[in-house]
Amino acid sequence: MSAGSPYRRLDRNDAAVLLVDHQSGLCNLVRDFSTDDFKNMILGLGGAAKYFNLPTILTTSFEDGPNGPLMPELKAMFPDAPYIARPGQINAWDNEDFVKAVKATGKKQLIIAGVVTEVCVAFPALSAIEEGFDVFVVADASGTFNKTTRDAAWARMQAAGVQLMTWFAMACELHRDWRNDVAGLGALFAKHLPGYANLITSYEAARK
């Protein structure tokens, strides 16, 4: 987000989630997060998408090749979501079926995460910005080779107007107010954030 830009807040009624190329082969390339942490954050984002009932689209690139199949946990989490297996397009936005699925949601805010950050995330994020969408990239559910490539991708996207956030910040911004549902959101956070599990345990103990 450029200096002086207005605060564009996520709206659960106008947001869709795009999970791009979280594939077994590509995930082996991720080095800016540990394997366990990265998987946990992807599933945290997926859990948040389900919790807020956000339209979610899954896509893969050349999955019959070295990129490999989609993470099975995501497929199981979203069995009825649109699933676009791109035959070869590197930029998901170059695939007509993917763009149709995105536009069919009717949402103007796109929450994107994927592997690798500077390609599979940045390319569709920049393309969506160009078409007038508000784009939010979930930085900790997107991974790449190292800090240098990650930082270059972040800088490029931010310069174009993409907002970077974490899945935890995304969930908090969508939720707005703890009083909307303490137990539900707390359970989501406790499942994927060990420190938050301790917080919820102490909170529940104090209420007894």
Side-chain angles (χ1 to χ4, degrees):
M1 187 166 58
S2 61
S5 296
Y7 176 24
R8 304 192 310 279
R9 184 183 301 197
L10 278 172
D11 180 352
R12 64 192 299 174
N13 297 310
D14 197 28
V17 174
L18 314 182
L19 300 178
V20 184
D21 301 353
H22 289 103
Q23 296 167 249
S24 59
L26 290 175
C27 284
N28 286 326
L29 302 175
V30 173
R31 294 291 182 270
D32 49 339
F33 299 104
S34 72
T35 300
D36 289 343
D37 284 347
F38 187 53
K39 182 177 181 179
N40 182 53
M41 290 183 287
I42 294 168
L43 297 180
L45 169 59
K50 287 187 70 69
Y51 175 78
F52 292 106
N53 197 30
L54 303 180
T56 300
I57 297 169
L58 309 174
T59 186
T60 57
S61 171
F62 197 43
E63 63 180 48
D64 293 333
N67 292 350
L70 182 72
M71 285 176 54
E73 294 89 348
L74 288 180
K75 187 62 176 172
M77 187 179 288
F78 300 101
D80 301 319
Y83 178 80
I84 292 87
R86 308 190 314 280
Q89 297 96 342
I90 294 174
N91 182 349
W93 210 264
D94 289 340
N95 182 278
E96 184 178 347
D97 292 333
F98 178 77
V99 175
K100 283 182 178 178
V102 172
K103 292 182 177 180
T105 67
K107 311 301 183 182
K108 292 299 292 180
Q109 295 184 335
L110 303 182
I111 300 167
I112 305 177
V115 184
V116 293
T117 307
E118 68 269 31
V119 174
C120 307
V121 177
F123 291 177
L126 295 169
S127 297
I129 284 279
E130 192 173 35
E131 292 205 24
F133 290 90
D134 281 336
V135 177
F136 303 77
V137 163
V138 183
D140 56 353
S142 303
T144 188
F145 307 107
N146 53 53
K147 184 177 184 297
T148 299
T149 54
R150 180 189 69 193
D151 290 353
W154 286 356
R156 186 184 189 193
M157 288 188 284
Q158 285 182 303
V162 173
Q163 292 196 54
L164 299 178
M165 49 195 332
T166 63
W167 79 266
F168 177 75
M170 178 203 83
C172 289
E173 190 159 278
L174 289 167
H175 200 60
R176 294 283 199 273
D177 191 320
W178 269 110
R179 292 168 295 182
N180 290 330
D181 178 17
V182 175
L185 192 66
L188 172 66
F189 289 162
K191 183 176 181 180
H192 297 286
L193 300 168
Y196 225 95
N198 295 335
L199 184 152
I200 293 298
T201 298
S202 64
Y203 166 73
E204 294 292 348
R207 297 179 64 205
K208 293 179 180 178

